[in-house]
């Protein structure tokens, strides 16, 4: 009885396989398989020139001390690095616009991060 059942399962499996093969349509189109290529090193992302502006509007460039917007833009241009400027939320907005205009005149990319800083 078990062998008869096993033969029927094999028959059903073969019928299913043959029906699937009959359904499959063989196309004349050529399949193009994608080929992966090695990535080329296009250089690293330079670390930004980091600076901060306190509530009074004074600018500190990391590693240099107090600086002006003109000097910051020149440093960024010479090294080819963008600018990351952390600004106290209580700093004068006109001072920030002034810094932005100087950096823009030198065509330097910059990010302004506004945050509340501790007062000395």
């Amino acid at each position: 009885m078990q062998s008869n059942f096993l033969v029927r399962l094999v028959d059903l499996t073969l019928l299913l396989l043959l029906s699937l093969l009959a359904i499959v349509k063989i196309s004349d189109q050529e399949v193009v398989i994608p080929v992966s290529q090695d990535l080329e090193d296009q250089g690293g992302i330079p670390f930004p020139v980091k600076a901060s502006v306190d509530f009074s509007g004074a600018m500190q460039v990391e590693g240099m001390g107090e600086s002006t917007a003109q000097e910051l833009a020149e440093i960024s241009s010479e090294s080819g690095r963008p600018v990351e400027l952390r600004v106290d939320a209580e700093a004068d907005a006109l001072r920030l616009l002034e810094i932005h205009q100087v950096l823009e005149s030198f065509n330097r990319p910059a990010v302004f991060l506004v945050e509340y800083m501790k007062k000395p």
Side-chain angles (χ1 to χ4, degrees):
M1 178 110 163
Q2 283 184 340
S3 64
N4 193 15
F5 180 69
L6 185 62
V7 170
R8 286 183 183 222
L9 283 179
V10 171
D11 287 343
L12 285 173
T13 305
L14 288 175
L15 283 173
L16 284 172
L17 181 62
L18 289 174
S19 63
L20 287 175
L21 287 175
I23 293 172
V24 173
K25 178 182 176 184
I26 299 174
S27 67
D28 294 336
Q29 296 178 353
E30 185 177 323
V31 176
V32 179
I33 298 174
V35 178
S36 64
Q37 298 175 356
D38 293 334
L39 293 176
E40 296 178 14
D41 184 15
Q42 298 185 7
I45 298 173
F47 290 107
V49 176
K50 295 185 178 184
S52 63
V53 177
D54 62 13
F55 67 94
S56 66
M59 182 187 309
Q60 299 284 330
V61 176
E62 189 176 88
M64 286 189 54
E66 195 162 336
S67 181
T68 64
Q70 182 82 18
E71 292 170 340
L72 176 63
E74 289 171 358
I75 293 167
S76 175
S77 292
E78 290 171 4
S79 62
R81 296 164 45 195
V83 175
E84 179 183 303
L85 195 63
R86 293 190 175 273
V87 181
D88 190 335
E90 295 182 15
D92 186 20
L94 291 176
R95 173 75 171 127
L96 302 181
L97 286 173
E98 173 190 312
I99 295 170
H100 173 71
Q101 287 174 345
V102 171
L103 291 172
E104 195 173 64
S105 70
F106 277 78
N107 199 24
R108 300 309 312 149
V111 173
F112 286 70
L113 304 167
V114 180
E115 59 189 12
Y116 286 99
M117 298 180 180
K118 294 181 183 177
K119 293 181 183 178

